[in-house]
Amino acid sequence: MPEHPTATRLRLSGLCFLLQILTIILFAVFVRYSPESSPGPCSRQLNCSWRNQDSGSQHPRFRDVHLQALLGFGLLVAFLSRYGPGSVAISILIVAFAIQWAILVQGFLYLSPGGKIYVGAQSMVSADFCTAAVLVATGAVLGRLNPAQMLLLTLLGVTLFTLNEYILLGLIGVSDSGGSLTVHTFGAYFGLMVSRILHQPHMDKRKEQQDTGQQPDVFAVVGTIYLWIFWPSFTSATTVHDNAEPWAVLNTYFSLAASTLATFVLWPVLYEEDTLQMVQIQDATLAGAAVMGMAGEMLVTPFGAIAAGFLVGLISLLGFRFLTPVLCSRLKTQDTCGVHNVHGLPGILGALLGTLLSALATADAYGGRLELVFPLVAQGSRTATGQALCQLCALPITLLLATLGGCLTG
């Protein structure tokens, strides 16, 4: 017997009230602003390796990352005609709660000696990365969870993301500035596992979920533009710019361009439609950015960024054409927004690319950057091969935490 709409609304209202009151109390007890005389407690373990920059350069980058999380990801889930406007509203709800909860959970892992959580622009960037991972996960279950359930998914997803990030970046010393593993891979497989647990056979026959109309196309156009404008800032938000060339920005742009061209290469071959839909271009843009999440700040070279973007664009479209039907029919995994092909596979490929580049890292090639990208290698406490092994081990750890966490959440 379906639940009465009034009960659903009241449950959402009560849950929002309780969660907000909880965060207000925790903020009152633990959270303080960072002293102006210091750049704030920004541990190397978290996504804030830009802690030595002047404060004037931090606000624009925080703004770009926040716009990317709110608009880029929010409009990404709006291409379905049945759920478009409501999906954007739910995305805003998730962002509003996830940022507050991420500040608390990440802060508890790095409490200052006084037992307080000091926040600044760096903390907000780390919270936005966490929010992005949760938004990726919700793309796999879009249309099958009500807003109250989305909030519960966010509550657990933020906690598990922070745990995974702490293990990878804090304990193992992995370099993943743009989140190939922590954001894309974790978010995708966490959401896919939740989707698998919540599998509903009758949903396979609902054609309206695949409908796209004029309004969803408009959402996709705007979302794609935002991805192109702000994703390089998202990928490079935790890298050090100073006077150095912004490798992460340039590599991401090259990868975006190549992955988009790959879509135009394969679309006429795989599909009978005459016109390429904007949603496919948006997916290619996301895939090209995801593959540069880990390798973006490394010495991937322009050639390598273009080659990686082109390859991941081809793989993403082939995944939509051949792998998605298998996931749905054989594994009973309903992937509403195709996060496996847009985030999961590109995130894994990005992790493998980052592992290869880590093994090739030398002081001669990186110069002063080596200490920023691979501080343990620069200090001599770890060899390049050892760093590469750590980067590689981070992949199964992320997949394990994502799948187990997804089962628990589902």
Side-chain angles (χ1 to χ4, degrees), residues 97 112 188 198 202-203 241 268 294 330 334 341 349 357 370 406:
F97 173 66
S112 66
L198 300 179
H202 67 277
M203 292 292 290
H241 283 221
M294 179 182 289
R330 300 291 179 86
Q334 298 159 328
N341 306 303
L349 292 175
L357 294 174
L370 187 64

Side-chain angles (χ1 to χ4, degrees), residues 16-302:
C16 288
F17 179 79
L18 291 175
L19 291 177
Q20 188 61 77
I21 292 298
L22 174 63
T23 54
I24 288 174
I25 294 173
L26 292 175
F27 265 69
V29 175
F30 294 103
V31 180
R32 302 291 184 270
Y33 283 120
S34 300
E36 294 184 5
S37 59
S38 66
C42 186
S43 305
R44 178 187 60 79
Q45 294 91 334
L46 285 179
N47 278 325
C48 18
S49 59
W50 46 297
R51 56 190 178 276
N52 294 324
Q53 298 181 52
D54 60 278
S55 59
S57 66
Q58 294 174 4
H59 175 70
R61 300 173 73 184
F62 156 65
R63 176 199 61 204
D64 290 350
V65 172
H66 194 62
L67 282 171
Q68 172 65 14
L70 187 61
L71 292 174
F73 282 100
L75 294 175
L76 170 68
V77 298
F79 73 96
L80 300 172
S81 59
R82 180 179 174 87
Y83 303 109
S87 299
V88 177
I90 291 177
S91 296
I92 295 173
L93 172 66
I94 291 172
V95 170
F97 173 66
I99 288 178
Q100 300 178 62
W101 189 240
I103 289 288
L104 290 168
V105 177
Q106 292 176 343
F108 286 138
L109 287 177
Y110 304 99
L111 278 175
S112 66
K116 301 298 181 182
I117 300 172
Y118 290 99
V119 299
Q122 304 98 319
S123 308
M124 297 301 293
V125 170
S126 294
D128 277 326
F129 269 70
C130 181
T131 302
V134 175
L135 289 173
V136 169
T138 59
V141 295
L142 186 66
R144 289 180 288 131
L145 296 184
N146 60 45
Q149 292 170 323
M150 284 291 193
L151 274 178
L152 293 177
L153 184 147
T154 303
L155 182 71
L156 293 173
V158 167
T159 306
L160 292 166
F161 167 89
T162 305
L163 175 62
N164 181 62
E165 184 186 56
Y166 176 75
I167 293 174
L168 266 57
L169 308 186
L171 301 182
I172 303 179
V174 172
S175 176
D176 187 23
S177 62
S180 280
L181 281 177
T182 56
V183 175
H184 299 284
T185 303
F186 177 86
Y189 289 99
F190 174 76
L192 288 171
M193 188 53 63
V194 174
S195 177
R196 175 62 185 88
I197 298 299
L198 300 179
H199 173 70
Q200 300 173 2
H202 67 277
M203 292 292 290
D204 295 333
K205 301 178 180 180
R206 295 183 64 168
K207 300 295 184 181
E208 64 267 27
Q209 283 198 354
Q210 305 301 326
D211 292 342
T212 57
Q214 183 176 1
Q215 186 183 44
D217 284 341
V218 172
F219 278 130
V221 169
V222 177
T224 302
I225 293 173
Y226 270 103
L227 290 173
W228 270 90
I229 294 174
F230 293 111
W231 199 290
S233 295
F234 184 90
T235 305
S236 64
T238 63
T239 62
V240 175
H241 283 221
D242 289 335
N243 296 322
E245 288 294 331
W247 285 356
V249 174
L250 300 176
N251 288 330
T252 303
Y253 268 121
F254 286 135
S255 182
L256 292 178
S259 62
T260 301
L261 280 178
T263 302
F264 284 89
V265 170
L266 271 187
W267 177 264
V269 177
L270 297 179
Y271 297 92
E272 298 179 355
E273 291 86 348
D274 296 330
T275 304
L276 183 67
Q277 296 180 1
M278 183 57 67
V279 172
Q280 276 71 43
I281 300 177
Q282 189 180 42
D283 292 340
T285 304
L286 280 163
V291 77
M292 282 294 111
M294 179 182 289
E297 67 172 340
M298 301 178 188
L299 192 58
V300 67
T301 73

Side-chain angles (χ1 to χ4, degrees), residues 294-354:
M294 179 182 289
E297 67 172 340
M298 301 178 188
L299 192 58
V300 67
T301 73
F303 156 76
I306 293 175
F310 187 73
L311 176 62
V312 79
L314 296 176
I315 292 176
S316 178
L317 200 59
L318 288 171
F320 274 107
R321 185 66 178 87
F322 299 108
L323 188 56
T324 298
V326 174
L327 289 176
C328 184
S329 61
R330 300 291 179 86
L331 301 181
K332 308 301 181 185
T333 301
Q334 298 159 328
D335 187 3
T336 309
C337 293
V339 298
H340 183 252
N341 306 303
V342 176
H343 298 279
L345 289 178
I348 291 176
L349 292 175
L352 295 177
L353 177 60

